[in-house]
């Protein structure tokens, strides 16, 4: 670096962490304790590698959710043993694409689907059935079409290194789905039975998961209210169905896998007393136009802010994590707490449990605000910012456009990024490279 | 800490059945350490000498799939067959692979393509020549011919079962009465409609057969004719039999329907006994799947395909043979009958010689084609060059050496 180098404000922002490191190396710093502490921490980190343990520490429990309480007049439940199967004939099969470029996300679907009807007048949940993928037929007054009486889930099936198919913590998705059903006036169901039906569907369409060790199948269970009446009331009829989609990579990112965000406080995704913490379709429709706006401004995702203090809540459709040096000079991983505005992500829960078990740095659930982010960035204490979700496990953030300013986050500049370690550990579990109770084999 | 290696489940089964330890990643604290890899290998070696039979899996636990290949390239399909044979775990999952190829001639593993067909002519007409991995004779494939490969673990290999699935399907769909003869061919009214070959290994095996639905019989006949010459070869020879298309027996037969019929028959029959379970049985299976045999879905398949399509495999693996062809040389009023003899090793012409009349000696012929690949065009090229030789020159040569 020469003094004659053209200094650009943008360059400084982008390279501030590099600048700091360079200055530290060449000039002795007599103050600014937190920087020194960070350097020490950094050195410590590089000597002792994280230990990846396969066992689940009882202190942090396996995170098994509480069983759901069904309505008194729900009727009877469905059982996987009642499953009837109608296999697709050869003419009904869909051709498999040649490569990932044609795949995108959720554009192509497999040959079969799972359908389970609920009719209160017929006693409750009906017999589950697996049929070839076909259109749904419903009355134009169906509640889902008018009042968005709909909820869904997102999970993945992975082909492990031994060729067997695995799903990741399905019990968590089932619980989350039932909680959303209760809020929507839709019938609840037995999660374990549904997972068994899902396993059968996956074994039929298992060839839709490539035989590589980096491929997955996206599972989309959906519950809709189909009661053909216009009253805004609980649906007496519902349909629980699941479709599967082979996936390539979710995001088409620009620079080396990191994403850029639009943080505009005028758009609010969720509010106290609302359903921000439930995976309902009605939460997502209003975000589409905002996403379009972000894309128009050359940004890839939306960073959802809330409140006067511009709290960071979620990134696009993912939870957000921040890894920084706190006021005590120690490294800390923080994510917003489940206050009702945040979707309780399963990846989020897994990361919290896993990193707490590691015990290498402090892990906390606390509110993060934009002013806080800016301050940390200025002091060079912000290390990494990343989203966490099923689609891509972790998604590092390298730029936020906030109030007309571009903030450059050094997520990708870290030597041993925590987000990569998290991604590697989680994918090792998901692909069966490590034997772990979170990864359920279904075959 | 030993890590679970990237092993597919069929290799794991093999290891387990031979008593070896499958090393798994255990938690660091508390639970017992897995045995060191060195110890595990020793144990595996010891146990392999007294291999225990794999556990018997009851029929009810075996699920069946019918895979339909999206490709019509013979090399890709052969590579797919090979990939499944090498990598798939069939212990609880039997598979029937259905495939059809663009026009090609497929010879058996140990056959000599030059005794089965006119290779130069095939190249001219754009018909691919391929060598499969299983034994048996040469066949002509086109899109009117359906190939069926029945995969199962070695211990449940059953050729008769597989062939019966086909005959039952033909009857159920079109009321065609087919029989299985002693050579394991399927015949309809005394003419062959199917040929069979198999590969038995550990832990997997496969049996494949063809079904002639509506193949082009004219092209078939023309393709399986070899160049007229005397071949001295120890390679497996094909046994020619009169063949018939199913469409000659019943005009409504077509490959698409045949695929469906054989597939459903396979799914509705119990796993190891010829018991029909109807739609109740079909419902319990895994059903039909389209298969796209590309590197994205089956990593490693490109390498297999490259091998199948290589000259080294198709021609190079030909067992050594000698081809002799007579040639007449004209001279002043007298003709001489000579015999051209070419020794071919590994598909290359090693020794090119001329046998003179009244002599057992072989006179070597000097030609730039020495050491080059053998094919009918080259052979006729040498003959053509030799025909220009004058009979008197040959006489001189004989007298000179006599």
């Amino acid at each position: 670096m020469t003094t004659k180098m053209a200094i650009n404000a943008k360059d400084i922002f982008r390279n501030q962490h590099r600048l700091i490191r360079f200055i530290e190396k060449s000039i002795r710093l007599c103050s600014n304790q937190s920087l020194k502490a960070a350097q020490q921490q950094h050195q410590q980190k590089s000597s002792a590698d994280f230990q990846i343990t396969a066992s689940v520490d009882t202190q942090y429990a396996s995170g098994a959710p509480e069983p759901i309480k069904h309505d008194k007049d729900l009727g009877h439940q469905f059982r996987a043993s009642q499953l009837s199967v109608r296999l697709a004939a050869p003419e009904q099969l869909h051709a498999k694409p040649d490569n990932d470029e044609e795949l995108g996300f959720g554009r192509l679907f497999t040959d079969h689907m799972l359908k389970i009807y609920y009719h209160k007048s017929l006693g409750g949940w009906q017999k589950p059935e697996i049929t070839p993928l076909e259109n749904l037929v419903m009355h134009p007054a169906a509640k889902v079409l008018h009042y968005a009486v709909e909820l869904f889930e997102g999970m993945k099936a992975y082909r492990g290194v031994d060729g067997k198919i695995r799903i990741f913590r399905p019990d968590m998705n089932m619980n989350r789905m039932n909680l959303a059903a209760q809020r929507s006036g839709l019938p609840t169901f037995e999660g374990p039975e549904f997972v068994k039906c899902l396993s059968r569907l996956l074994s039929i369409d298992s060839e839709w998961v490539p035989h590589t060790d980096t491929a997955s199948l996206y599972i989309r269970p959906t519950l809709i209210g189909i009661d053909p009446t216009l009253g805004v009331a609980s649906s007496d009829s519902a349909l629980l169905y699941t479709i599967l989609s082979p996936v390539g990579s979710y995001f088409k990112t620009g620079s080396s896998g990191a994403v850029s965000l639009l943080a505009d406080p005028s758009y609010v995704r969720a509010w106290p007393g609302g359903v921000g913490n439930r995976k309902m379709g009605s939460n997502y429709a209003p975000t589409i136009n905002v996403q379009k706006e972000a894309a128009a401004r050359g940004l890839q995702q939306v960073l959802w802010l809330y409140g006067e203090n511009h709290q960071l809540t979620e990134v696009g459709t993912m939870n957000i994590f921040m890894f920084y040096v706190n006021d005590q000079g120690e490294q800390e991983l923080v994510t917003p707490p489940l206050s009702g505005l945040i979707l309780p992500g399963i990846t989020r829960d897994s990361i919290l449990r896993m990193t707490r078990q590691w015990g290498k740095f402090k892990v906390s659930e606390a509110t993060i605000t934009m002013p806080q982010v800016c301050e940390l960035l200025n002091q060079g204490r912000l290390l990494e910012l990343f989203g966490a979700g099923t689609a891509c496990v972790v998604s590092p953030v390298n730029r936020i456009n906030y109030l007309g300013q571009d903030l450059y986050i050094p997520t990708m500049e870290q030597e041993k990024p925590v987000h990569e370690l998290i991604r590697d550990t989680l994918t090792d579990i998901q692909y069966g490279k490590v034997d772990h109770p979170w990864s359920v084999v279904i075959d | 800490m030993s890590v679970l290696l990237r092993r597919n489940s069929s290799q794991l089964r093999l290891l387990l059945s031979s008593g070896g330890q499958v090393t798994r990643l255990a938690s660091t604290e508390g639970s017992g350490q897995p045995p060191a890899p060195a110890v595990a290998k020793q144990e595996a070696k010891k146990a392999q000498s007294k291999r225990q039979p794999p556990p018997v899996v009851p029929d009810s636990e075996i699920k069946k799939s019918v895979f339909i290949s999206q490709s019509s390239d013979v090399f890709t399909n052969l590579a797919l067959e090979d990939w499944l044979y090498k990598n798939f775990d069939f212990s609880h999952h039997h598979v029937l692979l259905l495939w059809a190829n663009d026009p090609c001639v497929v010879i058996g593993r140990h056959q000599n393509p030059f005794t089965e067909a006119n290779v130069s002519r095939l190249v001219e007409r754009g018909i691919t020549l391929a060598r499969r991995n299983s034994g048996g004779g040469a066949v002509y494939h086109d899109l009117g011919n359906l190939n069926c490969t029945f995969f199962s673990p070695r211990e449940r290999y059953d050729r008769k079962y597989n062939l019966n699935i086909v005959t039952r399907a033909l009857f159920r769909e079109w009321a065609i009465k087919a029989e299985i003869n002693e050579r394991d061919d399927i015949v309809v009214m005394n003419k062959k409609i199917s040929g069979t070959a198999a590969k038995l290994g550990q832990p997997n095996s496969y049996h494949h057969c063809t079904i002639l639905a509506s193949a082009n019989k004219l092209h078939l006949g023309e393709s399986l004719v070899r160049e007229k010459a005397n071949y001295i070869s120890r390679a497996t020879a094909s046994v020619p039999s009169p063949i018939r298309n199913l469409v000659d027996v019943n005009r409504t037969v077509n490959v698409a329907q045949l695929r469906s019929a054989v597939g459903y028959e396979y799914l509705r029959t119990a796993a190891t006994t010829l018991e029909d379970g109807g739609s109740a049985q079909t419902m319990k299976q895994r059903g039909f799947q389209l298969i796209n045999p590309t590197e994205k879905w089956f990593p490693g398949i490109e390498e297999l395909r490259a091998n199948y399509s290589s000259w080294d495999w198709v021609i190079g693996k030909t067992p050594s043979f000698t081809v002799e062809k007579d040639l007449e040389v004209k001279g002043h009023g007298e003709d001489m009958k000579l015999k051209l003899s070419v020794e071919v090793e590994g598909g290359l012409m090693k020794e090119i010689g001329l046998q003179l009349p009244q002599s057992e000696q072989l006179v070597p012929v000097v030609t730039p084609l020495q050491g080059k690949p053998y094919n009918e065009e080259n052979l006729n090229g040498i003959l053509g060059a030799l025909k220009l030789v004058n009979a008197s020159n040959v006489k001189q040569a004989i007298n000179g050496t006599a």
Side-chain angles (χ1 to χ4, degrees):
Chain A
M1 269 170 67
T2 66
T3 47
K4 287 206 186 123
M5 183 180 83
I7 296 173
N8 192 316
K10 207 166 155 187
D11 280 339
I12 293 181
F13 256 119
R14 196 182 284 166
N15 296 298
Q16 52 188 297
H17 40 283
R18 279 211 204 100
L19 263 171
I20 292 166
R21 258 185 260 152
F22 172 83
I23 291 168
E24 275 184 66
K25 264 190 246 159
S26 50
I27 305 167
R28 215 175 50 147
L29 273 171
C30 16
S31 69
N32 207 330
Q33 204 183 23
S34 53
L35 278 168
K36 269 221 189 93
Q39 210 185 19
Q40 277 171 10
Q41 277 277 341
H42 195 80
Q43 280 166 357
Q44 270 178 18
K45 196 167 83 159
S46 49
S47 53
D49 226 339
F50 288 106
Q51 274 197 315
I52 297 157
T53 47
S55 73
V56 182
D57 207 321
T58 45
Q59 185 190 351
Y60 299 107
S62 55
E66 290 162 24
I68 207 84
K69 283 204 191 77
H70 301 291
D71 235 7
K72 280 193 301 307
D73 53 356
L74 184 72
H76 43 75
Q77 287 293 328
F78 62 82
R79 304 256 158 253
S81 47
Q82 302 167 319
L83 191 56
S84 75
V85 176
R86 183 159 52 93
L87 294 169
E91 315 80 71
Q92 294 173 297
L93 298 174
H94 304 102
K96 294 183 168 60
D98 283 334
N99 49 37
D100 261 354
E101 280 73 60
E102 299 167 29
L103 225 41
F105 175 77
R107 294 239 182 97
L108 207 65
F109 297 96
T110 63
D111 302 310
H112 298 87
M113 66 190 294
L114 169 66
K115 286 209 300 232
I116 313 170
Y117 277 97
Y118 173 86
H119 295 292
K120 196 170 251 171
S121 343
L122 292 178
W125 285 103
Q126 305 302 300
K127 295 202 172 91
E129 40 177 11
I130 289 177
T131 65
L133 186 77
E134 51 200 14
N135 289 339
L136 300 175
V137 179
M138 58 185 89
H139 194 281
K143 287 219 186 348
V144 59
L145 301 171
H146 295 265
Y147 309 119
V149 183
E150 184 261 15
L151 55 104
F152 64 98
E153 270 301 323
M155 30 199 294
K156 275 189 174 182
Y158 307 88
R159 190 181 292 277
V161 289
D162 58 358
K164 295 203 181 134
I165 309 237
R166 291 171 165 78
I167 42 180
F168 186 72
R169 304 184 80 185
D171 50 338
M172 302 281 291
N173 296 84
M174 295 299 108
N175 192 55
R176 195 166 71 174
M177 210 170 176
N178 272 313
L179 287 171
Q182 280 174 336
R183 185 72 194 252
S184 317
L186 283 170
T188 51
F189 57 93
E190 280 296 305
E193 293 299 317
F194 186 73
V195 174
K196 281 191 211 144
C197 294
L198 189 59
S199 304
R200 181 86 174 90
L201 178 65
L202 285 167
S203 83
I204 289 173
D205 276 344
S206 63
E207 283 307 306
W208 279 97
V209 191
H211 290 265
T212 61
D213 54 4
T214 52
S216 56
L217 196 64
Y218 185 74
I219 305 169
R220 175 51 68 89
T222 316
L223 180 54
I224 59 176
I226 55 176
D227 202 28
T229 57
L230 292 176
V232 185
S234 281
S235 209
D236 279 346
S237 292
L239 172 59
L240 172 60
Y241 68 94
T242 305
I243 47 180
L244 310 172
S245 174
V247 287
S249 89
Y250 188 72
F251 300 117
K252 283 189 182 62
T253 50
S255 44
S256 61
V259 294
S260 53
L261 310 178
L262 168 67
D264 191 334
S266 57
Y267 300 115
V268 178
R269 190 197 82 96
W271 46 90
V275 281
N277 58 348
R278 300 282 171 240
K279 209 165 175 74
M280 289 185 193
S282 49
N283 281 331
Y284 294 86
T287 67
I288 293 170
N289 209 31
V290 185
Q291 173 65 31
K292 222 164 97 173
E293 160 114 19
R297 294 207 224 167
L299 301 155
Q300 282 150 329
Q301 289 286 301
V302 178
L303 174 60
W304 298 103
L305 304 175
Y306 174 78
E308 298 277 335
N309 53 358
H310 297 176
Q311 297 168 29
L312 280 72
T313 57
E314 289 188 14
V315 181
T317 55
M318 300 182 286
N319 293 115
I320 192 158
F321 278 86
M322 184 168 76
F323 190 56
Y324 71 112
V325 179
N326 63 14
D327 293 334
Q328 285 76 46
E330 37 179 40
Q331 288 181 330
E332 186 174 332
L333 181 69
V334 67
T335 192
L338 296 177
S339 56
L341 302 178
I342 308 286
L343 186 74
I346 289 146
T347 311
R348 172 190 178 280
D349 181 88
S350 308
I351 292 175
L352 285 173
R353 284 183 200 281
M354 201 169 68
T355 49
R356 281 182 177 135
Q357 199 182 342
W358 288 348
K360 289 294 173 187
F361 44 73
K362 189 168 171 206
V363 181
S364 56
E365 293 172 69
T367 311
I368 316 170
T369 65
M370 277 315 288
Q372 194 185 353
V373 168
C374 292
E375 181 59 28
L376 288 171
L377 208 51
N378 283 336
Q379 293 182 24
R381 284 161 54 188
L382 179 55
L383 302 170
E384 298 176 47
L385 199 65
F386 55 93
T390 296
C392 49
V393 189
V394 298
S395 180
V397 174
N398 66 354
R399 178 161 71 102
I400 302 178
N401 184 295
Y402 173 60
L403 300 177
Q405 251 198 328
D406 264 335
L407 304 170
Y408 288 91
I409 321 281
T411 314
M412 304 302 282
E413 323 271 348
Q414 306 303 318
E415 270 172 33
K416 271 198 186 170
V418 147
H419 72 268
E420 266 185 32
L421 192 62
I422 289 173
R423 181 198 286 132
D424 290 342
T425 318
L426 278 179
T427 46
D428 279 353
I429 296 174
Q430 288 163 344
Y431 286 97
K433 285 185 195 146
V434 174
D435 215 10
H436 200 284
W438 279 354
S439 199
V440 178
V441 177
I442 53 108
D443 224 1
Chain B
M1 245 184 338
S2 29
V3 177
L4 184 72
L5 296 170
R6 195 197 158 172
R7 282 207 185 94
N8 53 66
S9 17
S10 60
Q11 287 170 330
L12 279 171
R13 256 194 346 122
L14 190 58
L15 247 183
L16 283 169
S17 69
S18 60
Q21 278 273 348
V22 176
T23 51
R24 300 198 92 120
L25 185 73
S27 57
T28 45
E29 293 91 29
S31 46
Q33 289 288 319
V39 174
K41 272 193 206 146
Q42 270 178 22
E43 281 182 23
K45 271 200 189 130
K46 253 191 266 172
Q48 226 165 47
S49 47
K50 27 175 170 134
R51 181 173 291 170
Q52 299 135 336
V56 176
V57 178
D59 266 18
S60 53
E61 282 180 37
I62 301 171
K63 301 292 172 208
K64 289 183 175 180
S65 285
V66 178
F67 287 177
I68 300 175
S69 173
Q70 283 175 216
S71 170
S72 59
D73 169 43
V74 61
F75 298 125
T76 307
N77 285 324
L78 286 172
L80 173 65
E81 204 184 37
D82 208 15
W83 194 101
L84 291 171
Y85 167 71
K86 290 189 167 118
N87 296 296
F88 219 82
D89 179 6
F90 298 112
S91 56
H92 292 80
H93 184 188
H94 286 186
V95 170
L96 166 62
L97 177 67
L98 299 175
W99 41 297
N101 300 317
D102 292 323
C104 62
V105 166
V106 183
I107 56 169
R109 171 72 178 82
H110 308 285
Q111 285 204 302
N112 180 340
F114 303 101
T115 60
E116 305 301 327
N118 187 324
V119 179
S120 302
R121 191 78 64 74
L122 290 181
V123 170
E124 263 172 53
R125 288 163 57 206
I127 296 180
T128 318
L129 174 68
R131 179 188 300 267
R132 60 177 185 267
N133 221 343
S134 54
V139 281
Y140 171 82
H141 287 179
D142 67 12
L143 291 169
N145 171 68
L146 182 68
N147 298 302
C148 311
T149 308
F150 295 85
F151 289 96
S152 73
R154 179 71 168 84
E155 63 273 12
R156 289 204 284 272
Y157 174 82
D158 191 346
R159 201 185 280 201
K160 280 281 184 302
Y161 172 94
N162 301 334
L163 294 170
N164 273 299
I165 295 283
V166 177
T167 53
R168 283 182 171 209
L170 292 176
F171 187 78
R172 200 186 291 277
E173 190 79 11
W174 292 287
I176 293 175
K177 287 211 174 137
E179 280 140 26
I180 305 167
N181 72 8
E182 67 284 348
R183 297 194 64 246
D184 283 336
D185 297 329
I186 302 180
V187 289
V188 172
M189 300 200 288
N190 294 319
K191 283 207 181 155
K192 188 170 147 170
I193 56 128
S194 157
T196 257
K199 187 149 179 80
L200 285 95
Q202 279 292 347
N204 294 330
S205 69
Y206 65 79
H207 159 223
H208 56 202
C209 61
T210 58
I211 308 178
L212 284 169
S214 52
N216 189 324
K217 281 206 284 194
L218 186 64
H219 288 173
L220 193 157
E222 283 173 0
S223 303
L224 294 174
V225 171
R226 66 191 187 188
E227 173 81 11
K228 276 207 174 76
N230 182 25
Y231 295 92
I232 304 161
S233 160
R234 282 180 309 163
T236 318
S238 295
V239 176
S241 335
I243 51 94
R244 175 203 293 290
N245 270 322
L246 282 172
V247 78
D248 298 334
V249 177
N250 183 325
R251 262 185 317 155
T252 60
V253 173
N254 59 78
V255 171
Q257 218 177 329
L258 185 61
R259 239 184 229 127
S260 189
V262 176
Y264 274 115
E265 194 68 37
Y266 182 71
L267 292 173
R268 67 192 287 169
T269 313
T272 55
T273 55
L274 278 173
E275 264 175 46
D276 177 29
S279 53
Q281 175 75 5
T282 308
M283 212 173 81
K284 295 194 207 130
Q285 307 310 312
R286 294 162 78 141
F288 292 92
Q289 279 294 322
L290 281 179
I291 300 290
N292 193 347
T294 56
E295 189 71 15
K296 168 191 147 71
W297 295 93
F298 299 92
I301 204 174
E302 271 311 308
E303 207 187 306
L304 294 172
R305 189 196 179 279
N307 182 45
Y308 273 111
S309 58
S310 67
W311 185 93
D312 282 336
W313 173 260
V314 180
I315 308 288
K317 283 271 183 271
T318 307
S320 306
F321 69 101
T322 307
V323 54
E324 292 174 354
K325 195 154 182 181
D326 288 330
L327 114 106
E328 265 190 24
V329 169
K330 306 246 186 236
H332 295 303
E334 44 184 317
D335 297 339
M336 220 181 260
K337 269 217 174 67
L338 302 169
K339 199 188 278 186
L340 174 69
S341 167
V342 181
E343 257 180 57
V344 182
E345 255 177 59
L348 302 168
M349 295 187 276
K350 282 280 143 65
E351 306 261 341
I352 306 170
L354 210 55
Q355 195 168 52
L356 302 170
Q358 289 103 39
S359 160
E360 283 301 311
Q361 246 185 340
L362 218 59
V363 178
V365 172
V366 175
T367 159
L369 288 173
Q370 169 94 21
K372 288 283 184 295
Y374 170 80
N375 58 49
E376 292 84 354
E377 208 177 291
N378 286 346
L379 180 71
N380 290 325
I382 300 173
L383 284 170
L386 288 171
K387 280 207 177 110
L388 299 171
V389 166
N390 200 294
S392 52
N393 288 351
V394 177
K395 249 196 183 161
Q396 251 181 10
I398 299 172
N399 293 334
T401 54

